[in-house]
Amino acid sequence: MNEKVINALLLTGLGAMGTALGGLIVVLQPKMQFKRLGYLQGLAAGLMLCISMLDLMPAATEEVGFAAANTWFFAGVAFFAVVVHFIPEPSSEGLVLDEAEPAAPAIASSKKQDRRQEAHQCRTSDSSAAAQADTTVAAPASASASSVAATGGTAAERAARREAKKRVLLSGLITAIGIALHNFPEGVAVFLASMKSHAVGASLAFAIALHNVPEGVAVALPVYFATGSRWRGFLYAATSGLAEPAAVVVLALFFPSQGLDKQLVEKLLAAVGGIMAFLSISELLPLAFEHAGRSAAVISLFVGMAIMSANLYILDHWMGHDH
């Protein structure tokens, strides 16, 4: 297998590890603070925007011209907008709040029901001790009917909780499939970046890996709440991330690296820049604002841009990376 393809596989493995890390966070800390995930989302948005605007687009403009580079950039934006329209990327916080919170009132109502049963039985027992013989005969029948009704109520609550768990598990599976479909074009992006150079591929893979951490949480949490197994949630999250290496395998089979024209690679990388820009502005930043707050999200965004700028400077001036 070609060395560049092997490198692309390793780098997309890094992206898959980001999704798995999100699942591992659920294993270690199922009641995490979503504010921390907001920091990661803002950081990933800054990394992606910076590599798109300061590396991929200038190189494409230099190689194929301003008009062609911008045409391919906005083609990438349009393509990923269509992907997101038909396969919206779920929010991890929405999944938790929508499905986890109803469980607590259900448990609380069950406890209240038990307390009402005990109080009712006490009152029945007191009245039967003070009543005449004919009423004492009727009291057990009344208590027995009340007990049957209470048992039916608890059985109905248990059935409702089972149905709720099924819905939560289904939401986790749908989330895993949606994220896998999202990860496929990200694997394509890393493959194309690796065809240009290992350094560009590594920079892009690192940004995507950070972006994938909250996605792993979004998959693992509903599975954990539905099954009670943290490790099963981790397994689902890790599996959904394998779409990125799968994209490399598919591209390597159909488009050998030796057959890719340099100008075509630059055009496709301009489209990748459009995808990264759309992903950052349309999905990552709104989620960062929601989870971390406006100020923290903006700070995280610029910290991410600063980190990627420093990385690009080091690659250009210290390691002789050629655009």
Side-chain angles (χ1 to χ4, degrees):
M1 188 180 290
N2 184 278
E3 182 186 349
K4 287 188 176 180
V5 173
I6 294 173
N7 183 60
L9 272 174
L10 293 174
L11 291 176
T12 49
L14 175 64
M17 283 174 60
T19 315
L21 178 59
L24 188 61
I25 289 173
V26 173
V27 172
L28 300 176
Q29 191 182 5
K31 296 180 180 179
M32 84 289 294
Q33 294 181 352
F34 282 95
K35 191 170 185 178
R36 296 177 185 174
L37 293 181
Y39 297 150
L40 281 180
Q41 287 162 329
L43 196 67
L47 293 170
M48 288 187 183
L49 276 176
C50 190
I51 196 172
S52 172
M53 298 302 174
L54 299 183
D55 188 74
L56 298 181
M57 278 303 291
T61 302
E62 183 181 343
E63 182 66 33
V64 300
F66 181 85
N70 278 271
T71 300
W72 281 88
F73 176 88
F74 288 107
V77 170
F79 165 74
F80 209 70
V82 171
V83 170
V84 170
H85 176 74
F86 288 105
I87 314 166
E89 190 169 20
S91 165
S92 52
E93 186 173 11
L95 286 169
V96 178
L97 294 178
D98 291 343
E99 301 293 351
E101 283 187 346
I107 295 169
S109 67
S110 174
K111 289 180 180 177
K112 288 179 183 176
Q113 179 74 17
D114 292 342
R115 285 197 295 270
R116 283 198 297 268
Q117 272 185 264
E118 291 171 3
H120 178 74
Q121 287 172 358
C122 289
R123 286 196 302 271
T124 305
S125 135
D126 291 341
S127 63
S128 64
Q132 296 178 353
D134 52 344
T135 359
T136 35
V137 172
S142 171
S144 165
S146 170
S147 173
V148 169
T151 305
T154 14
E157 287 172 3
R158 284 198 300 267
R161 282 197 292 271
R162 281 197 298 269
E163 284 301 314
K165 284 186 176 183
K166 286 180 184 176
R167 287 195 301 273
V168 176
L169 181 59
L170 180 61
S171 77
L173 292 173
I174 292 171
T175 303
I177 293 169
I179 285 173
L181 292 174
H182 268 266
N183 285 349
F184 194 87
E186 291 169 5
V188 172
V190 174
F191 174 82
L192 292 171
S194 299
M195 292 303 102
K196 179 180 179 180
S197 79
H198 296 336
V200 176
S203 299
L204 190 58
F206 177 67
I208 288 174
L210 277 183
H211 154 65
N212 285 347
V213 173
E215 292 185 348
V217 173
V219 174
L221 268 178
V223 175
Y224 163 56
F225 281 130
T227 64
S229 170
R230 299 180 188 182
W231 288 107
R232 188 175 295 182
F234 169 76
L235 182 64
Y236 278 58
T239 304
S240 69
L242 294 178
E244 287 186 28
V248 174
V249 172
V250 171
L251 286 175
L253 289 174
F254 289 97
F255 303 102
S257 59
Q258 296 89 344
L260 288 176
D261 178 66
K262 186 180 178 183
Q263 286 204 346
L264 176 60
V265 170
E266 291 295 349
K267 289 174 182 176
L268 292 174
L269 283 175
V272 167
I275 291 172
M276 297 297 104
F278 181 88
L279 183 61
S280 302
I281 296 169
S282 175
E283 299 202 8
L284 288 177
L285 273 181
L287 288 173
F289 283 177
E290 179 185 346
H291 293 162
R294 182 184 180 89
S295 298
V298 170
I299 291 171
S300 299
L301 171 73
F302 283 107
V303 168
M305 294 184 76
I307 291 172
M308 185 55 72
S309 296
N311 174 64
L312 294 174
Y313 178 82
I314 291 170
L315 291 175
D316 280 339
H317 295 275
W318 290 5
M319 297 184 180
H321 163 52
D322 182 22
H323 288 287

